Amino acid sequence: MFVLAIAMMFYASANKPHYSDLSVDLPQVSDPVVLANEGRDDAMHVAVTRQGDVFFNRDLVKSVDRLPGLMREQVRLGSERKVYIRADVCARYRTVKDVIDAMHSAGLEQIAFLADERRPVQSR
């Protein structure tokens, strides 16, 4: 019975989408700014995929309505009061706006949108 329970937990976690598995095409910018705290272990990251899926840190969030509670708990545990958003360049504006509204509901105002540095075009 114990082995079956362990197998079920492994199966559930193996089939659960994770943030690190995401393919998010970030917008590109010419002059990016380095965000010193973005790499902290306790930094709050939200990813929005082009399909409309929302991930908080590494876990899929079934409903954006859960985000304020998750964010408040993360702050209570010592996280900085800033949210780093990785929104796919083709993500729907409405989904990103819902994430921002959830931040505000959690009492958070500081936001950073993550982007990739635009590579200069190589001339031949």
Side-chain angles (χ1 to χ4, degrees), residues 5-51:
I6 296 295
M8 294 283 288
M9 288 182 350
F10 176 73
Y11 177 76
S13 66
N15 290 322
K16 185 176 179 183
H18 287 287
Y19 181 82
S20 61
D21 299 336
L22 291 179
S23 175
V24 176
D25 293 325
L26 295 176
Q28 295 188 356
V29 296
S30 299
D31 298 313
V33 175
V34 175
L35 302 170
N37 292 334
E38 190 265 333
R40 285 177 41 170
D41 288 339
D42 65 347
M44 287 187 277
H45 289 92
V46 176
V48 180
T49 67
R50 68 179 58 211
Q51 294 85 7

Side-chain angles (χ1 to χ4, degrees), residues 67-78:
L67 278 177
L70 294 169
M71 291 175 178
R72 281 191 289 270
E73 177 64 14
Q74 195 75 18
V75 168
R76 188 186 71 73
L77 293 173

Side-chain angles (χ1 to χ4, degrees), residues 1-121:
M1 187 70 166
F2 177 72
V3 173
L4 180 61
I6 296 295
M8 294 283 288
M9 288 182 350
F10 176 73
Y11 177 76
S13 66
N15 290 322
K16 185 176 179 183
H18 287 287
Y19 181 82
S20 61
D21 299 336
L22 291 179
S23 175
V24 176
D25 293 325
L26 295 176
Q28 295 188 356
V29 296
S30 299
D31 298 313
V33 175
V34 175
L35 302 170
N37 292 334
E38 190 265 333
R40 285 177 41 170
D41 288 339
D42 65 347
M44 287 187 277
H45 289 92
V46 176
V48 180
T49 67
R50 68 179 58 211
Q51 294 85 7
D53 293 327
V54 176
F55 288 77
F56 180 72
N57 291 334
R58 291 179 171 80
D59 299 319
L60 178 66
V61 177
K62 297 285 187 189
S63 171
V64 177
D65 296 337
R66 291 193 56 229
L67 278 177
L70 294 169
M71 291 175 178
R72 281 191 289 270
E73 177 64 14
Q74 195 75 18
V75 168
R76 188 186 71 73
L77 293 173
S79 181
E80 127 183 79
R81 298 181 59 83
K82 179 186 274 187
V83 177
Y84 298 92
I85 296 182
R86 295 174 48 90
D88 191 286
V89 71
C90 294
R92 294 168 111 355
Y93 171 77
R94 178 65 197 199
T95 307
V96 176
K97 183 183 179 311
D98 289 344
V99 168
I100 295 169
D101 290 345
M103 274 182 52
H104 291 154
S105 293
L108 303 172
E109 299 295 326
Q110 295 180 15
I111 184 171
F113 284 94
L114 301 181
D116 283 332
E117 183 173 8
R118 182 176 292 137
R119 303 276 186 235
V121 178

